[in-house]
Structures are given as C-alpha cells and as structure tokens.
Amino acid sequence: MTEIGTVLYHFPVLDSTNACAARLLSKIRLKPGTMITADYQTAGRGQIHRGWHSAPGLNLCLSCILYPDIRPHEQFQISMVVSLAVQELVAELCKNKPVTIKWPNDIYVGDKKIAGILIQNSIKGTEITSCIAGIGLNVNETDFPPELPNPTSLKLESTESHYRHLQLDDSIDINAVCEALTEKLNHRLTFLQSRTIQLQNDYQQVLYRQGTLSCFKLSQNDRRTGTIQSVDDLGRLQILWETGEPGAYQHGEIEYV
Ligand code: BTN
C-alpha cells in the first residue's frame, strides 16, 4: 500500500513542487508516496492555469506522487481523498468554524480560502500512469497581496489552544503541519476504490454552499441562480437552476460568483 512521506525531498526554493515532481517523473520512477516540499515557490501553479501565491517560508507547499489503481473515469476519487484529508486537518485546527470543500477541491474557512489543491494525472489509454497531488496550505501568512480575493491562513483562523501541539515559538510549525497532513492523507488513501461511497458521502457532507441558493457564471453573459445538489461519480457539480432545469458541469465550465 502507498505510504505517503516515506521518501521526502525538501527544497528551500523551487519553481513549483508540482513542476519539480513532473520533471523527476519524466526521468525516473519515483517511489509511490514520494513527497516534495519547498519553503518557497517562484512559479507556484494553481488551477486553470492560474498561479499560486505563497510568501517565502510561511506556508506549506507540497506535492505527493501517487500511482492510484483506478481508471481515468474514477479520477475524481483522488480529488476527494486529498481534499477530505486537508479539510479534516483544517477543521481540527479551526474548531467551531465551518470548514468546507468548495468544489472541486478548494478548502474554505467560512467564505475564505485557506488551501488549494492541484492534481495532475498522466493518463495512457485506460490507465492513470502517475498522479501529482499538489497542496498549498496557508499556515503562518497573515498579510496577503491585495489582489487575492479572499485568502486566509491557520494563523488567522486557529487559536493557540487548538494549534498548541503544532506550535513553534510564536508560529505554527510547518513541518508538524506537514506530518499531521501526511497522516490524514495516508488514512484517506485507504478509501480509494474500495470505499468510494463513503468518500462521496463524506465529501458531500462538507461541500461548500450545498443546498444554498447561489449565483454562478457559465460564460461572460450567462449568469444564473441555482442550488448545488451534489457532485456525481464523474466529479461534475450538479445544480438545480431556479428555472427548474437541472445541470451537471465539469471543472472549468462554471464559476461561483
Ligand atoms: C489552486 O487553488 O488554484 C490550486 C493551488 C495549488 C498550489 C499547490 S502549492 C504546492 C503545489 N505546487 C504548485 O505549483 N501548486 C501546488
């Protein structure tokens, strides 16, 4: 079974831990569960060709290499595993606050984003040949660039009494956070394939804005109001529009407003 974190490569500076993982994978076969971390990324990558901001030395930037034994049409399971692991850790540290997964895999505390996940799968035919699961978790950053819409961090959301076991001087120990997350990831990985229904149920339980009337943008001139019903097996967001029409959308086809 894949054990995340038994091999760890740590770098003070990298362009991106996901990019580094991809470069390594193009040359050698890395041990399943290999982890790459960096104190600072000069070209952190986000979803849909966006970047990822993380101030030097303040946050967790990590990528894990997996070789999941699932078919390409099941790849949303990886997203659920990783986002549930991060959600669980953040929820433990931000007790009494709503910690949710904004579809497909952003982690929110209230209406603020605390972590982002970028999963990059390599697919050949009917096989996922490798998967790079990148996680950016804001830990000690408290002053974010103004252009970021709604960022937050563990330091801003958690209280000392909840992070005392992960404390280092005045801040939260990023290595300890990484270890705690590794444990959650290893636990959640055991759900892959065999406990899909439980993964789906757990994911729906903490789905941001589920059941709440919300506004979405489908294209420049197409904004609609509807209610999130669930996420289907293929990872599509299912919405019931206020017109009574149902819809199912892939990542990138729809945006929250
Ligand atoms: C997003 O919300 O857009 C996804 C952000 C993912 C950021 C992490 S940080 C570690 C890993 N390396 C990267 O370049 N990106 C991911």
Side-chain angles (χ1 to χ4, degrees), residues 16-18 41 44-47 52 62 106 113 116-117 134-136:
S16 141
T17 55
N18 270 36
Q41 300 186 123
R45 296 181 181 176
Q47 288 170 25
W52 179 253
L62 134 86
D106 286 345
K113 179 163 168 172
I117 293 164
I135 302 169

Side-chain angles (χ1 to χ4, degrees), residues 15-19 36 41 43-48 50-54 60-63 105-107 113 115-120 132-137:
D15 51 350
S16 141
T17 55
N18 270 36
I36 297 167
Q41 300 186 123
R45 296 181 181 176
Q47 288 170 25
I48 329 181
R50 296 195 187 111
W52 179 253
H53 159 86
S54 181
L60 179 62
C61 299
L62 134 86
S63 298
N105 48 25
D106 286 345
I107 311 302
K113 179 163 168 172
I117 293 164
L118 178 64
I119 294 179
Q120 297 182 289
I132 301 168
I135 302 169
L137 171 60

Side-chain angles (χ1 to χ4, degrees), residues 2-188:
T2 302
E3 182 80 20
I4 289 186
T6 47
V7 179
L8 168 67
Y9 297 109
H10 175 76
F11 298 88
V13 185
L14 269 183
D15 51 350
S16 141
T17 55
N18 270 36
C20 172
R23 279 193 299 271
L24 289 171
L25 277 172
S26 71
K27 299 205 168 72
I28 48 176
R29 185 174 165 93
L30 295 164
K31 209 173 157 232
T34 296
M35 238 163 64
I36 297 167
T37 55
D39 295 332
Y40 179 50
Q41 300 186 123
T42 54
R45 296 181 181 176
Q47 288 170 25
I48 329 181
H49 308 296
R50 296 195 187 111
W52 179 253
H53 159 86
S54 181
L58 294 183
N59 303 315
L60 179 62
C61 299
L62 134 86
S63 298
C64 300
I65 284 98
L66 304 169
Y67 302 99
D69 189 15
I70 54 173
R71 303 288 135 212
H73 69 272
E74 299 168 317
Q75 58 187 293
F76 192 66
Q77 283 189 37
I78 307 168
S79 232
M80 291 193 288
V81 160
V82 177
S83 48
L84 280 167
V86 182
Q87 187 275 338
E88 278 159 12
L89 177 68
V90 174
E92 272 176 25
L93 295 170
C94 304
K95 288 213 176 76
N96 311 323
K97 294 196 176 175
V99 180
T100 55
I101 302 172
K102 185 173 172 189
W103 175 85
N105 48 25
D106 286 345
I107 311 302
Y108 268 58
V109 180
D111 285 315
K112 294 185 170 183
K113 179 163 168 172
I114 196 164
I117 293 164
L118 178 64
I119 294 179
Q120 297 182 289
N121 291 323
S122 295
I123 295 173
K124 257 197 204 130
T126 58
E127 260 187 59
I128 298 179
T129 51
S130 65
C131 162
I132 301 168
I135 302 169
L137 171 60
N138 297 332
V139 179
N140 287 310
E141 190 163 353
T142 51
D143 290 311
F144 290 92
E147 64 275 15
L148 296 184
N150 49 1
T152 193
S153 66
L154 290 175
K155 195 70 199 284
L156 289 171
E157 301 293 341
S158 182
T159 53
E160 223 177 296
S161 62
H162 293 135
Y163 66 72
R164 193 163 291 133
H165 60 299
L166 304 175
Q167 195 165 4
L168 184 70
D169 304 325
D170 227 9
S171 43
I172 303 175
D173 183 349
I174 297 170
N175 291 330
V177 171
C178 185
E179 264 176 44
L181 180 58
T182 304
E183 235 175 73
K184 301 268 180 225
L185 284 165
N186 278 323
H187 171 67
R188 273 294 173 185

